[in-house]
Amino acid sequence: MAADLSSLLTSSKALTSHLSRPDLPSVHLSLDQIEAQSRRLVSRQPGTSADNDRANYLLAQAHVDAPALASSIAHLNTSTTFTPLQALQDTDVAGYLRHAHEQNIISTIEEGRRETQEDFYHVLEERQRRDWESRKRRVFEQLGGRVAGDNMAVTELKKSMHGKNLLAVSTGPSPSLQMQSKMMAYDRVISELNVSRLRGTSYPIVHALLNASLGANTDPRLLQLAQNFHVLAKITAEPPALPPLEHAGAHILNAPLFERKYARVYLGDPETREAVDLRRQIARGASDALEEQYWDILERTLQARPIEARLGGDPSISNKVRAFVLVRHYRNGEWEDRIELVSGQPIWAKLFYLVRTGHTQEALAEAMQYQNAIEHRESGFLSHFRAWIESADRKDQVHATFNAHMLHSSTADPFKLVLYKLMGKIDPARRSVHHVTVTTEDWLWLQLAMVDEEEGGGLRGLAEVLISYGERHFDGMPGQKGAKRGVWAGVLLMCGQFERAVAALWDHQETEIEAVHMAIALAYHGLLRVPPRAETSDMTPLSLSPVSPPSLSLSTLVWRYVRQFVKMDAREALQYVYCVCLNADQGSGVGREQVESAWELVRRIIVLANTGAAWEELVGGFRPDGTRFSGIIEQNAPLLKLEDVRQYNEHILIRAAKHSEQSDRIPEAIKLYNLAGDYTTVIACLAQALGNTIGQPSSDEKARSIERTAADILRHYERTNRAVGKDRDAVIRLLRVREAMDAKDSGRIELALEIMESTDLIPMDGDVAKIQRRAEEFRDLPEALQRNLQTFLTLTMDTLAGVHQKIKSSMVADVTRQMTTTSLRKKSRSLMIFAGILKYRMSPDVYSYLARLDVEIAL
């Protein structure tokens, strides 16, 4: 082995013999010394580390030469990155221009990418901030506090965590005085709506809400909210008022049917002919609203600038438009650039403004007055214009004329240009026309007028484009000075995105009231889609899904609204809850879920409403003679889809009673069970409640309330012989015990002892066998009596001791004193025997107390 190693060493030295240099000394180091020197050399090298060594080692295993790549990168020259692959000659002008063009494209793409990235992160940051503010506000509202009152919210959170039921703390902050006034204006509309629903008549809810909005929103920044209701009125084709009824039942023949008119089509297949017609109606209605709005602007402009308008004595529509064109486009004695005059008249501008304000027939009449001049300038225009006016949905073939001398012309009249675009629905992707679409409303009107359900996605395609723009494009940044609220919601409303429109209003605190009432109006007309319970969120009412259209939880919206005043005015809160059942006809089981949600909200209101006469107006009650009267919930049961009294009792009263019981509102729970006719449960609940409060002081108002309720119900049940059994006997005995306690507290000791003996809870006749038997029977008494054994024994022994002390200090005859004392001792001894048998049910201190009093009585 040694020889082999020696030969191996000799061979290894021979391998490097040709590399030896005589001017360098040989190195003879051990392995440890070599390792130490290597580490020392490595530590002296800048920028090296154990991590780099490991990285290089791993890269080398993958056949990657890391040092070579690092060297290549270090010597990389990027200055020639965008130079041509082949050198350009000085005289190669075409090559230079081509290269410059390519570089411009690359620069534009890079700048666009950078701007898009910056805008994306800016929008993302703004959206995150808004979402956080919204979520924070919703959470604090859920806890019953305000955003500024963090301590209050935390306190309410603790209460909700330790309470028996979250319903007890689920009311929101009280609205301000200004909000209350605004809410009351809308409350009346909802109440009138439900009255009409009960009668089976239609109600112009959108117009009623429009009038309420005009009266409540005096801030100019909020006038857009009224305009949104105006748009909805046009979309739904709702008349401003119904014709008067000449006789009972005339509404069946004369009045139009509003409730759920569009539900079948709106909630059905969007590809059907009816759905397409509905989208056309939505676009046409939105256009009509914008046209009426612009006509109002036109008339106010003429009133504000009468000298420039030079209206004269002719009040016709055509003359007003002529005056408006003069005010808008005539300056310093001459017309604006590109305004083309025909026979000395700005005919194209006049025709456009007549069309823009919805006066298409007047526009056609105006064009016919200048027929020859127009035909001379634009041959065939009048025939195309007439065909388009007679059928606004059609596209007239005017593309050739448009493309020939207007598409790329810098001098063409912009109003003539837009008229050709409208008639042919030409190039809808170019959504603006210079000098024409100067306002958001003008721009929207043009988009709606260009919508074609046969091409380009129709109204749904337009909605996708508008949604991609986002709220910032229309409403401005939140908090921006002068920004109008509701513009974005109006945009969504006009393109048929009703659920998104309501959610856009709900996102801002100053427009939450309009959001709720807009949702109710949409649901009434059948233009609101609600989500299934599984897709409903407690944080946001809007539900978005990639596989189904947007939906909005009306029940969530209603509850968040009414919980602000549910304790102050439960009657009005119920009016809003009734509207949740408007969606009861939605398919796939969603309608049934909406009805059940309404029932749940009614039960919440019953539990949270303030007690008293107003509470009994909600649920009903009993008159002094024992007859029952119904409450407003039962009277409005058809609005909740409750078909009979049995359903009302089962779904409303009994379940509300259980909620009240869980919320420790025992008197209300008992009354509800009683109204529902569940007499056995009433008595059981009374016994349980009295058993819980019998040991509390007489000054406890809650205990007194339960006792008064129990006495009233017991008298009624005794007359009608209801709920006979052990529980009713327990209630009677517990009420008698309370009478004995009151008599003892007032100093009437003898009466207290007499009452306790009448309850027959404790045997005091001295018969040991009977006492043992009664102790055995005590185990079968209701639990409310068993757990108060110590109270009964202590009270009875106290009365015995009190009577004994009174007899000892009285001036009665000795014979009478002796007889009374003997009787008291007998009763005291019987009580101690009874207590001794049931000693395991009481604490030692109580038994010791009883024994001490027994000794005092025996002396």
Side-chain angles (χ1 to χ4, degrees):
M1 179 64 70
D4 293 339
L5 292 175
S6 299
S7 61
L8 183 61
L9 176 61
T10 303
S11 300
S12 64
K13 289 180 178 180
L15 291 174
T16 59
S17 59
H18 64 285
L19 299 176
S20 62
R21 296 176 59 182
D23 56 332
L24 294 177
S26 300
V27 178
H28 299 284
L29 298 175
S30 66
L31 292 177
D32 293 338
Q33 290 174 324
I34 293 173
E35 182 182 3
Q37 290 291 343
S38 300
R39 293 185 182 278
R40 192 176 297 113
L41 288 172
V42 170
S43 65
R44 293 176 183 175
Q45 296 296 323
T48 60
S49 64
D51 291 338
N52 289 341
D53 293 341
R54 284 193 294 269
N56 291 335
Y57 174 74
L58 293 173
L59 290 171
Q61 285 184 330
H63 307 289
V64 176
D65 190 351
L69 292 175
S71 177
S72 299
I73 293 172
H75 295 87
L76 178 65
N77 181 11
T78 60
S79 61
T80 60
T81 301
F82 295 104
T83 58
L85 296 178
Q86 296 179 355
L88 296 174
Q89 301 297 324
D90 293 341
T91 58
D92 188 0
V93 177
Y96 172 77
L97 292 176
R98 183 176 64 255
H99 174 67
H101 178 65
E102 292 173 353
Q103 296 307 307
N104 287 336
I105 293 176
I106 294 173
S107 300
T108 302
I109 293 173
E110 177 60 24
E111 290 178 5
R113 185 197 64 80
R114 186 174 62 254
E115 292 177 359
T116 302
Q117 185 178 9
E118 291 175 355
D119 290 344
F120 170 76
Y121 284 114
H122 178 75
V123 172
L124 180 62
E125 181 182 357
E126 178 62 28
R127 182 62 182 269
Q128 286 177 336
R129 186 191 67 80
R130 287 180 50 199
D131 285 352
W132 165 240
E133 293 296 332
S134 176
R135 287 175 179 270
K136 184 170 66 173
R137 178 160 54 90
R138 301 298 184 204
V139 168
F140 281 122
E141 286 179 3
Q142 195 74 23
L143 298 178
R146 298 182 184 275
V147 175
D150 291 0
N151 292 334
M152 181 189 302
V154 172
T155 302
E156 294 297 336
L157 175 60
K158 292 178 179 178
K159 289 181 180 179
S160 66
M161 291 173 64
H162 296 289
K164 292 186 177 181
N165 198 311
L166 185 60
L167 289 177
V169 293
S170 60
T171 56
S174 299
S176 63
L177 185 61
Q178 182 180 3
M179 283 189 65
Q180 288 184 28
S181 176
K182 186 176 180 180
M183 293 163 76
M184 289 175 63
Y186 287 106
D187 286 349
R188 289 189 287 270
V189 176
I190 302 303
S191 298
E192 292 172 2
L193 168 68
N194 288 322
V195 169
S196 296
R197 291 174 62 199
L198 281 174
R199 292 175 178 171
T201 60
S202 293
Y203 180 72
I205 182 174
V206 183
H207 283 88
L209 292 173
L210 171 60
N211 295 332
S213 179
L214 290 172
N217 294 313
T218 56
D219 188 341
R221 293 179 301 170
L222 299 178
L223 291 179
Q224 176 64 35
L225 302 176
Q227 173 64 14
N228 291 344
F229 284 117
H230 178 58
V231 170
L232 183 58
K234 290 296 181 180
I235 288 174
T236 57
E238 181 187 278
L242 294 177
L245 303 183
E246 298 178 358
H247 56 84
H251 62 274
I252 298 175
L253 300 176
N254 300 332
L257 178 62
F258 295 166
E259 185 169 346
R260 309 298 291 172
K261 178 179 179 181
Y262 303 104
R264 183 185 62 82
V265 177
Y266 184 75
L267 300 175
D269 184 359
E271 304 302 329
T272 62
R273 175 52 54 187
E274 292 85 354
V276 172
D277 291 341
L278 177 59
R279 289 194 291 272
R280 286 198 178 105
Q281 177 180 329
I282 293 171
R284 182 67 260 170
S287 296
D288 290 346
L290 291 172
E291 289 164 2
E292 290 187 8
Q293 181 191 32
Y294 201 83
W295 180 253
D296 182 62
I297 293 173
L298 184 148
E299 290 192 315
R300 284 191 280 111
T301 301
L302 297 181
Q303 293 174 5
R305 302 166 68 177
I307 297 177
E308 298 176 55
R310 289 180 275 178
L311 186 60
D314 182 6
S316 66
I317 293 173
S318 178
N319 190 47
K320 288 182 178 180
V321 170
R322 177 204 59 77
F324 181 74
V325 173
L326 197 66
V327 171
R328 291 288 298 269
H329 303 289
Y330 193 74
R331 297 284 187 278
N332 301 321
E334 60 182 17
W335 292 97
E336 291 180 351
D337 292 341
R338 299 179 61 182
I339 296 294
E340 182 181 345
L341 300 180
V342 179
S343 298
Q345 293 292 322
I347 187 63
W348 308 116
K350 290 173 66 176
L351 293 179
F352 169 76
Y353 283 116
L354 285 167
V355 172
R356 176 67 180 86
T357 55
H359 300 99
T360 55
Q361 294 299 325
E362 289 80 357
L364 181 60
E366 182 75 15
M368 295 303 296
Q369 289 184 11
Y370 300 91
Q371 179 177 2
N372 295 331
I374 291 176
E375 285 295 325
H376 178 73
R377 295 286 184 93
E378 296 293 334
S379 177
F381 174 84
L382 283 177
S383 61
H384 294 306
F385 192 57
R386 182 192 300 274
W388 176 70
I389 286 177
E390 292 175 351
S391 179
D393 289 332
R394 63 172 287 179
K395 289 192 302 182
D396 218 61
Q397 299 302 318
V398 296
H399 293 70
T401 304
F402 179 82
N403 294 331
H405 60 279
M406 277 182 283
L407 180 60
H408 300 292
S409 174
S410 60
T411 60
D413 189 312
F415 297 103
K416 180 167 63 174
L417 173 67
V418 77
L419 287 172
Y420 272 101
K421 280 179 67 71
L422 288 171
M423 289 189 295
K425 296 184 178 180
I426 300 171
D427 197 10
R430 298 184 64 180
R431 300 185 179 277
S432 297
V433 178
H434 195 51
H435 296 304
V436 177
T437 54
V438 295
T439 66
T440 300
E441 289 76 11
D442 292 334
W443 186 87
L444 285 170
W445 178 83
L446 181 61
Q447 310 315 307
L448 293 168
M450 298 285 286
V451 164
D452 186 357
E453 286 297 328
E454 305 298 331
E455 297 179 9
L459 191 63
R460 289 178 293 179
L462 174 61
E464 292 179 2
V465 173
L466 296 176
I467 291 171
S468 69
Y469 290 162
E471 181 177 4
R472 292 172 62 250
H473 189 82
F474 296 95
D475 272 355
M477 294 293 291
Q480 180 178 343
K481 185 177 181 181
K484 293 194 297 182
R485 281 282 170 252
V487 176
W488 174 235
V491 170
L492 294 170
L493 200 66
M494 291 181 204
C495 60
Q497 296 293 308
F498 302 126
E499 295 81 8
R500 292 180 188 267
V502 174
L505 291 172
W506 183 255
D507 282 342
H508 302 284
Q509 188 173 6
E510 62 267 38
T511 58
E512 286 182 350
I513 297 176
E514 283 74 18
V516 175
H517 294 87
M518 179 72 73
I520 291 174
L522 287 166
Y524 180 66
H525 282 280
L527 293 173
L528 189 76
R529 183 180 288 102
V530 295
R533 185 177 298 158
E535 298 178 10
T536 303
S537 171
D538 292 334
M539 294 304 299
T540 174
L542 183 65
S543 177
L544 298 176
S545 171
V547 296
S548 60
S551 55
L552 188 95
S553 176
L554 182 60
S555 59
T556 301
L557 215 64
V558 164
W559 177 246
R560 287 186 177 177
Y561 180 71
V562 303
R563 67 181 182 178
Q564 302 175 83
F565 56 88
V566 62
K567 286 190 174 182
M568 298 181 296
D569 196 345
R571 293 173 62 103
E572 290 300 329
L574 284 169
Q575 296 295 326
Y576 285 88
V577 173
Y578 298 151
C579 297
V580 175
C581 292
L582 284 169
N583 297 92
D585 57 353
Q586 188 165 329
S588 302
V590 178
R592 179 64 183 179
E593 291 178 352
Q594 291 299 298
V595 173
E596 292 174 353
S597 296
W599 294 345
E600 172 61 25
L601 295 183
V602 171
R603 295 192 291 265
R604 289 188 192 182
I605 292 173
I606 292 174
V607 174
L608 294 170
N610 291 325
T611 57
W615 187 82
E616 290 192 348
E617 288 182 10
L618 299 181
V619 299
F622 289 92
R623 300 183 182 88
D625 60 358
T627 58
R628 183 181 183 278
F629 63 88
S630 61
I632 60 173
I633 299 176
E634 186 176 359
Q635 294 167 11
N636 295 323
L639 297 177
L640 293 169
K641 308 302 179 182
L642 295 168
E643 298 178 358
D644 50 37
V645 175
R646 182 190 61 80
Q647 286 191 352
Y648 171 70
N649 292 340
E650 177 184 352
H651 296 296
I652 303 298
L653 293 182
I654 293 179
R655 296 186 64 178
K658 292 178 181 177
H659 287 320
S660 297
E661 197 173 353
Q662 294 169 2
S663 302
D664 201 24
R665 298 185 61 169
I666 304 303
E668 290 79 10
I670 292 169
K671 290 179 181 179
L672 291 170
Y673 282 127
N674 190 32
L675 287 169
D678 193 354
Y679 307 120
T680 302
T681 305
V682 170
I683 291 299
C685 193
L686 278 175
Q688 185 78 8
L690 290 172
N692 292 338
T693 61
I694 196 67
Q696 297 177 4
S698 301
S699 59
D700 187 272
E701 182 57 34
K702 180 180 178 181
R704 284 302 190 187
S705 175
I706 293 174
E707 289 160 12
R708 288 193 295 269
T709 302
D712 293 340
I713 291 178
L714 197 62
R715 283 194 296 269
H716 177 64
Y717 283 11
E718 286 177 345
R719 287 198 304 267
T720 56
N721 197 30
R722 288 174 176 165
V724 178
K726 291 183 178 181
D727 285 331
R728 196 175 89 170
D729 294 339
V731 171
I732 295 172
R733 287 177 167 180
L734 289 167
L735 288 176
R736 295 289 287 168
V737 169
R738 173 57 72 180
E739 291 180 19
M741 295 173 71
D742 292 342
K744 173 179 171 292
D745 293 341
S746 62
R748 296 174 293 171
I749 303 299
E750 294 89 348
L751 177 60
L753 179 58
E754 180 182 344
I755 294 173
M756 285 305 300
E757 288 185 272
S758 70
T759 62
D760 202 22
L761 287 169
I762 302 171
M764 289 183 287
D765 55 2
D767 187 342
V768 176
K770 183 177 180 180
I771 293 173
Q772 290 178 339
R773 185 171 65 254
R774 294 294 302 279
E776 291 292 333
E777 294 172 353
F778 190 84
R779 298 185 179 92
D780 298 329
L781 292 178
E783 191 267 341
L785 294 175
Q786 292 189 45
R787 69 170 180 269
N788 285 288
L789 174 63
Q790 295 182 161
T791 301
F792 305 151
L793 292 173
T794 303
L795 175 61
T796 305
M797 186 61 83
D798 285 342
T799 58
L800 289 171
V803 174
H804 179 263
Q805 187 65 32
K806 188 175 182 180
I807 287 295
K808 286 178 62 176
S809 59
S810 65
M811 302 298 294
V812 298
D814 292 341
V815 177
T816 304
R817 182 185 297 111
Q818 184 65 31
M819 291 177 59
T820 304
T821 302
T822 301
S823 175
L824 292 174
R825 289 171 180 169
K826 178 181 177 182
K827 293 177 181 179
S828 174
R829 181 76 337 228
S830 299
L831 186 147
M832 289 306 299
I833 295 172
F834 184 75
I837 298 173
L838 299 174
K839 185 178 180 180
Y840 67 93
R841 289 181 173 271
M842 66 185 74
S843 66
D845 293 340
V846 172
Y847 190 78
S848 299
Y849 176 75
L850 296 175
R852 181 170 57 81
L853 291 183
D854 179 57
V855 171
E856 292 179 2
I857 294 172
L859 294 178

